[in-house]
């Protein structure tokens, strides 16, 4: 439900919507057998690991509730915490920039890099910079960005797009990765095998040269502590830490919802995140920095890009609790079959289906709220208890309302829904409608039917229409009992 | 105890045997069942497709039809979940205080069949006989919205003659999802294919579940494959003697 005064998300640039609606994009990916195999294997493995480490914690539900409560406090008092963060970061030698949307954030970062005179930057894996399309913007300004997260590197070298929040190259298997490295990596050993250790070694050699020469690093942030101005990045490879510590200039792009009020709040999230995302008890590398270290420059770019608009919807705002763990992707039966690219946004899966349309406005992503069976698996695993299924249902109503506003004539779906509502609200009309069901009997076995039945019979037979509705049977039974 | 049957629109029009079985079972257990014919549909299809406004008259009709009963039993977890969780939300969204109150009252008295049998009537052995090899698919809304847990299996385990076999990856969605099956036929079919493969692996002759909607989807797929496996609602098995 839209209400007056809700800021509309009006964004420029960025990677939050695709060229095709979800069902069409998914048709292609569902038909890709290799992709289905890669995704099925990978999601089931992470799913199992997560379930095992979550079940170890007796207070998981309490942690989850605490995570949700902390984030809700942040969202309810966002302005205060953001100003506090700005003050703390500035007091410790950092510079804070505010970006309304993708275009503004890209311009700020590009100008900052240009000011250093660097023509190359190294990057820590970051969703925010993927969201705004920073690499493309830098490229246009003649600056080359090197992704240093192994999976992001695979995606970048493969001229590909990330398809998962945590494992951007989840759609690739190791033999495909070997081919990408052989084709795209300069100085690669032509005898490279597809053994994971060999692939990692090749990436390490390639990246080490970049770490030692880069003057500028760009990162995202998993968390920012308002009370101290501390930023945190959580990762598995140590490549992030190289970027955060070696170059002279560090630029961090962070969504405004990534805040936690106090240092102590990290205790909750550093338990929730690794167990939910990689299925580890603790993540291997947690880097934290406060302001600028001596000899280093630190810039923090705070990104809105539709977040304020999301915050304005009381039934949609809890999507901003998300800590990008991707547990919902790994358990989602739709994601498992369709893959991340089908969602058209850097945020795929269940959380993407509620976040992307809110960040862009539902008019730019009308098919995503429908990209779910509402099976509820996502809500069960969400470490900050985002009720994704209910939010999807809410966003579907917003999509329908938006279409009503855009078009004067009702769509066939709107007409059918109105007709069904009119028929079903009155028991006499409904009783007669049910009698008409048996007229559909001859349709069974037909292979050509109009939409939406054509979608049904593409893979499923129609049910056999019974000779009599239950209510007619009941009425007869009651009559014969009375006699 | 005045017990009313919520037929559900799908059972009324397409699967009357499911509703007949529910009545037969409850009567066999010694309860008189009333069927208020003013009822039609819970409105879940409207709500879940983005038409809560069109669902409002259906919700009003539903609470009118079922006012005054001690218990309302539905052979569907999905419809029960909609009544329990969504009706109140829709009523709140239009700010109708009397509808908020009546939906809460009806929701508190509405039970999915396996809940009603195990929690209210406190029976697990309903005296059924069903000599077939059966695998049970726990539907998403029974598992994750109603949290019925193993109640349906407790009931099935007591059925005489039954050869109950575990369904691999049972808790995965079958791919129905209401209008999802029509809006996203390719993903829906991919999910269905995996579900059917798991059903076939059990070598069961019957795939059972507590929701006619999911069974319509799985059964439609199995029928298309002509593999000789049929879908049967939990109520029909429990009503068999």
């Amino acid at each position: 439900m839209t209400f007056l005064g809700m800021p509309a998300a009006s964004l420029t640039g960025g990677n939050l919507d695709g060229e095709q609606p979800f069902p069409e994009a998914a048709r292609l990916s569902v038909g890709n057998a290799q992709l289905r195999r890669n995704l099925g294997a990978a999601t089931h493995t992470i799913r199992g690991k997560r379930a095992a480490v979550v079940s170890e914690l007796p207070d998981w539900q309490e942690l989850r509730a605490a995570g949700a409560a902390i984030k809700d406090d942040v969202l309810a008092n966002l302005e205060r915490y953001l100003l506090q963060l700005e003050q703390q970061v500035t007091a410790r030698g950092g510079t804070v920039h505010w970006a309304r949307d993708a275009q503004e954030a890209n311009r700020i970062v590009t100008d900052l890099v240009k000011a250093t005179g660097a023509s190359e930057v190294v990057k820590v894996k970051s969703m925010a910079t993927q969201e705004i399309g920073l690499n493309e913007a830098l490229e246009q300004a003649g600056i080359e960005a090197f992704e240093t997260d192994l999976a992001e590197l695979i995606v970048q070298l493969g001229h590909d797009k990330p398809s998962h929040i945590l494992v951007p190259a989840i759609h690739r298997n190791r033999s495909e990765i070997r081919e990408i490295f052989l084709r795209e990596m300069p100085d690669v050993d032509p005898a490279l095998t597809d053994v994971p250790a060999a692939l990692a070694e090749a990436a390490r050699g390639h990246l080490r040269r970049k770490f030692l020469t880069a003057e500028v690093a760009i990162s995202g942030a998993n968390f920012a502590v308002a009370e101290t101005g501390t930023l945190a990045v959580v990762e598995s490879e140590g490549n992030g830490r190289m970027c955060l510590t070696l170059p002279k200039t560090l630029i961090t792009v962070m969504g405004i919802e990534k805040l936690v009020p106090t240092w102590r709040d990290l205790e909750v999230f550093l338990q929730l995140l690794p167990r939910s995302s990689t299925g580890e008890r603790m993540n291997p590398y947690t880097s934290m920095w406060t302001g600028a270290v001596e000899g280093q420059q630190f810039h923090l770019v705070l990104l809105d890009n539709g977040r304020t608009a999301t915050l304005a919807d009381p039934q949609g705002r809890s999507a901003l609790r998300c800590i990008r763990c991707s547990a919902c992707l790994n358990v989602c039966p739709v994601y498992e079959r369709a893959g991340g690219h089908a969602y058209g946004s850097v945020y795929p899966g269940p959380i993407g289906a509620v976040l992307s349309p809110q960040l862009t406005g539902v008019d730019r992503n009308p098919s995503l709220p429908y990209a779910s069976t509402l099976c509820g698996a996502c809500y069960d695993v969400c470490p900050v208890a985002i009720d994704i299924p209910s939010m999807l249902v809410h966003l579907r109503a917003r999509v329908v309302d938006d279409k009503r506003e855009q078009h004067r004539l009702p769509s066939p779906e709107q007409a059918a829904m109105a007709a069904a509502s009119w028929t079903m609200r009155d028991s006499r009309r409904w009783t007669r409608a049910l009698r008409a069901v048996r007229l559909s009997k001859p349709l069974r076995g037909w292979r050509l039917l109009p939409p939406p039945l054509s979608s049904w019979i593409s893979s499923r037979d129609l049910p056999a229409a019974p000779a009599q509705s239950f209510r007619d049977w009941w009425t007869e039974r009651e009559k014969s009992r009375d006699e | 105890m005045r017990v009313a049957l919520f037929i559900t629109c799908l059972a009324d029009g397409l699967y009357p045997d499911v509703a007949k079985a529910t009545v037969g079972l409850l009567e066999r257990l010694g309860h008189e069942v009333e069927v208020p014919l003013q009822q039609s549909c819970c409105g879940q299809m409207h709500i879940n497709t983005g038409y809560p406004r069109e669902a409002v008259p259906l919700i009003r009709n539903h609470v009118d039809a079922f006012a005054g009963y001690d218990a309302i039993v539905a052979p569907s977890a999905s419809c029960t979940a909609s009544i329990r969780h969504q009706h109140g939300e829709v009523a709140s969204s239009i700010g109708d205080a009397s509808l908020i109150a009546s939906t809460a009252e009806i929701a508190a008295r509405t039970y999915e069949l396996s809940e009603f049998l195990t929690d209210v009537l406190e029976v697990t052995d309903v005296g059924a006989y069903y000599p077939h090899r059966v695998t049970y698919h726990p539907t998403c809304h029974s598992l994750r919205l109603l949290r019925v847990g193993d109640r349906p299996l407790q009931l099935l385990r007591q059925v005489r003659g039954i050869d109950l076999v575990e369904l691999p990856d049972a808790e995965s969605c079958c791919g129905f999802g209401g209008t999802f099956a029509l809006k996203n036929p390719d993903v829906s079919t991919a999910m269905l294919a995996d579900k059917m493969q798991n059903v076939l692996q059990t070598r069961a002759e019957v795939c059972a579940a507590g929701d006619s909607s999911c069974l319509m989807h799985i059964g439609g797929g199995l029928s298309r494959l002509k593999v000789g496996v049929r879908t049967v609602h939990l109520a029909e098995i429990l009503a068999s003697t």
Side-chain angles (χ1 to χ4, degrees):
Chain A
M1 194 172 298
T2 320
F3 53 85
L4 288 174
M6 179 187 282
S10 63
L11 307 179
T12 320
N15 295 319
L16 288 168
D17 55 355
E19 282 152 24
Q20 285 175 306
F22 180 82
E24 285 166 36
R27 179 172 308 136
L28 298 175
S29 47
V30 161
N32 181 339
Q34 182 68 65
L35 177 70
R36 288 274 296 283
R37 204 159 271 273
N38 295 355
L39 276 174
T43 55
H44 279 260
T45 305
I46 311 180
R47 209 183 281 186
K49 282 172 74 179
R50 180 210 158 268
V53 295
V54 162
S55 66
E56 289 173 354
L57 290 188
D59 60 345
W60 183 255
Q61 292 307 329
E62 286 82 1
L63 272 172
R64 216 177 156 225
I70 293 167
K71 281 291 180 181
D72 283 350
D73 171 42
V74 167
L75 296 175
N77 301 289
L78 193 56
E79 186 185 348
R80 177 155 62 82
Y81 290 129
L82 280 170
L83 292 174
Q84 193 184 5
L85 177 77
E86 181 184 38
Q87 190 197 5
Q88 293 299 321
V89 170
T90 310
R92 288 168 170 77
T95 312
V96 176
H97 310 260
W98 300 79
R100 205 181 311 268
D101 58 20
Q103 201 178 36
E104 217 169 85
N106 287 333
R107 202 193 58 229
I108 292 167
V109 176
T110 308
D111 288 349
L112 287 171
V113 178
K114 274 186 184 163
T116 68
S119 59
E120 282 186 8
V121 299
V122 285
K123 283 189 71 206
V124 184
K125 178 179 164 4
S126 138
M127 290 311 298
T129 59
Q130 287 284 5
E131 173 187 328
I132 61 178
L134 180 64
N135 292 4
E136 295 86 335
L138 289 173
E139 197 186 328
Q140 278 175 19
I143 300 160
E144 212 175 344
F146 292 93
E147 293 290 351
T148 66
D149 173 84
L150 178 54
E152 288 286 8
L153 176 69
I154 295 162
V155 168
Q156 190 178 36
L157 291 177
H159 309 288
D160 202 354
K161 285 180 171 179
S163 70
H164 189 282
I165 291 173
L166 177 77
V167 200
I170 195 169
H171 56 290
R172 297 290 195 191
N173 64 21
R174 61 194 204 197
S175 71
E176 292 173 291
I177 294 166
R178 172 179 168 270
E179 283 163 25
I180 292 170
F181 281 10
L182 285 175
R183 202 174 57 229
E184 303 284 342
M185 204 179 257
D187 313 330
V188 74
D189 178 0
L192 181 69
T193 66
D194 72 341
V195 175
L199 295 171
E201 191 54 42
R204 182 176 290 132
H206 171 73
L207 290 171
R208 230 5 101 91
R209 287 186 283 278
K210 295 293 169 204
F211 291 134
L212 294 173
T213 54
E215 298 281 315
V216 180
I218 297 175
S219 84
N222 290 98
F223 306 102
V225 181
E227 81 175 338
T228 57
T230 304
L231 278 293
V233 160
V234 169
E235 42 128 10
S236 297
E237 296 167 357
N239 292 344
R241 180 166 293 172
M242 295 270 206
C243 295
L244 296 168
T245 49
L246 290 174
K248 279 193 204 124
T249 301
L250 172 62
I251 304 167
T252 298
V253 182
M254 182 191 101
I256 52 172
E257 82 286 16
K258 293 276 132 195
L259 283 164
V260 293
T262 69
W263 183 266
R264 191 168 173 184
D265 296 320
L266 287 177
E267 173 212 342
V268 172
F269 293 102
L270 293 179
Q271 292 183 76
L272 287 173
L273 182 55
R275 286 181 197 256
S276 299
S277 60
T278 48
E280 292 168 303
R281 296 184 181 97
M282 223 181 137
N283 53 285
Y285 294 89
T286 304
S287 301
M288 293 171 172
W289 67 100
T290 308
V293 186
E294 211 184 308
Q296 225 190 19
Q297 273 195 37
F298 172 55
H299 294 275
L300 175 61
V301 182
L302 295 172
L303 175 73
D304 186 321
N305 209 37
R307 285 160 177 78
T308 306
T310 306
L311 193 58
D313 182 346
Q315 286 164 279
R317 66 170 62 128
S318 66
L320 296 175
R321 289 181 195 158
C322 175
I323 56 172
R324 311 284 189 263
C325 73
S326 62
C328 62
L329 277 62
N330 299 331
V331 296
C332 178
V334 174
Y335 176 87
E336 185 189 334
R337 274 80 181 187
H341 293 155
Y343 294 80
S345 163
V346 293
Y347 302 114
I351 187 62
V354 292
L355 196 56
S356 311
Q358 294 201 87
L359 293 177
T360 61
V362 290
D363 57 323
R364 263 175 60 184
N365 266 311
S367 66
L368 287 188
Y370 293 93
S372 166
T373 61
L374 308 177
C375 85
C378 49
Y379 183 25
D380 273 10
V381 298
C382 177
V384 285
I386 302 170
D387 183 354
I388 295 175
S390 296
M391 203 178 290
L392 287 165
V393 170
H394 164 69
L395 292 173
R396 290 175 185 187
R398 273 181 61 182
V399 169
V400 170
D401 281 345
D402 181 66
K403 285 187 178 161
R404 278 185 182 128
E405 278 169 33
Q406 303 293 325
H407 310 282
R408 284 228 321 268
L409 279 175
S411 67
E413 179 185 284
Q414 284 166 23
M417 286 291 167
S421 171
W422 183 80
T423 308
M424 287 169 152
R425 75 185 63 168
D426 178 280
S427 65
R428 282 159 306 172
R429 290 199 284 264
W430 177 233
T431 302
R432 281 197 295 273
L434 287 177
R435 282 186 196 134
V437 167
R438 66 170 177 267
L439 303 177
S440 75
K441 208 165 186 175
L443 296 184
R444 197 173 139 91
W446 286 23
R447 287 291 174 271
L448 271 176
L449 287 172
L453 288 179
S454 53
S455 288
W456 182 265
I457 62 160
S458 63
S459 60
R460 296 147 288 209
D461 285 341
L462 288 171
Q468 193 181 34
S469 70
F470 173 79
R471 62 178 58 224
D472 281 348
W473 172 82
W474 177 264
T475 307
E476 272 177 24
R477 189 181 97 143
E478 291 296 285
K479 249 187 225 154
S480 63
R481 277 180 154 191
D482 293 342
E483 278 159 16
Chain B
M1 182 165 57
R2 282 189 73 203
V3 180
L5 172 73
F6 175 38
I7 312 165
T8 75
C9 61
L10 205 56
D12 206 345
L14 288 173
Y15 300 100
D17 288 346
V18 172
K20 288 179 204 171
T22 308
V23 171
L25 171 64
L26 295 174
E27 287 179 345
R28 192 175 76 216
L29 294 170
H31 299 272
E32 199 188 320
V33 180
E34 296 179 53
V35 182
L37 290 175
Q38 190 194 327
Q39 64 176 294
S40 62
C41 166
C42 64
Q44 182 181 196
M45 175 187 75
H46 285 97
I47 299 169
N48 284 354
T49 313
Y51 296 84
R53 210 186 298 170
E54 283 75 4
V56 170
L58 307 189
I59 296 173
R60 287 192 198 287
N61 181 62
H62 187 84
V63 296
D64 280 354
F66 288 101
Y69 292 98
D70 301 310
I72 302 144
V73 184
S76 162
S78 195
C79 307
T80 303
S82 181
I83 291 161
R84 212 174 276 172
H85 302 299
Q86 293 185 319
H87 280 193
E89 281 172 26
V90 174
S92 299
S93 75
I94 57 165
D96 184 330
S98 88
L99 192 61
I100 294 172
S102 52
T103 52
E105 202 172 298
I106 297 296
R109 294 176 196 174
T110 303
Y111 302 90
E112 178 273 335
L113 180 63
S114 75
E115 290 178 331
F116 185 69
L117 294 170
T118 56
D119 298 349
V120 181
L121 301 186
E122 297 180 339
V123 289
T124 47
D125 185 352
V126 296
Y129 176 69
Y130 196 77
H132 300 282
R133 189 171 168 93
V134 175
T135 193
Y136 174 76
H137 165 63
T139 64
C140 298
H141 290 180
S142 74
L143 274 181
R144 287 179 282 266
L145 291 179
L146 296 186
R147 309 273 174 199
V148 301
D150 71 341
R151 286 176 183 83
L153 286 169
Q154 288 177 36
L155 292 158
L156 286 171
R157 284 189 202 112
Q158 301 294 327
V159 172
R160 284 155 196 72
I162 199 168
D163 179 11
L164 193 61
V165 277
E166 198 179 322
L167 179 64
D169 203 15
E171 298 191 357
S172 280
C173 177
C174 71
F176 174 65
T179 43
F180 176 85
L182 304 174
K183 285 177 180 282
N184 287 284
D186 297 273
V187 181
S188 173
T189 297
M191 292 165 69
L192 172 62
D194 291 344
K195 182 57 72 180
M196 292 195 296
Q197 200 165 36
N198 285 323
V199 170
L200 294 177
Q201 223 181 82
T202 66
R203 307 189 58 200
E205 33 174 332
V206 168
C207 172
D211 277 283
S212 297
S213 49
C214 311
L215 289 176
M216 177 171 76
H217 174 69
I218 301 170
L222 289 169
S223 160
R224 177 64 56 89
L225 290 186
K226 306 202 189 322
V227 284
V229 180
R230 65 186 195 279
T231 47
V232 175
H233 193 282
L234 176 69
E236 295 175 276
I237 296 178
L238 299 179
S240 291
T241 51

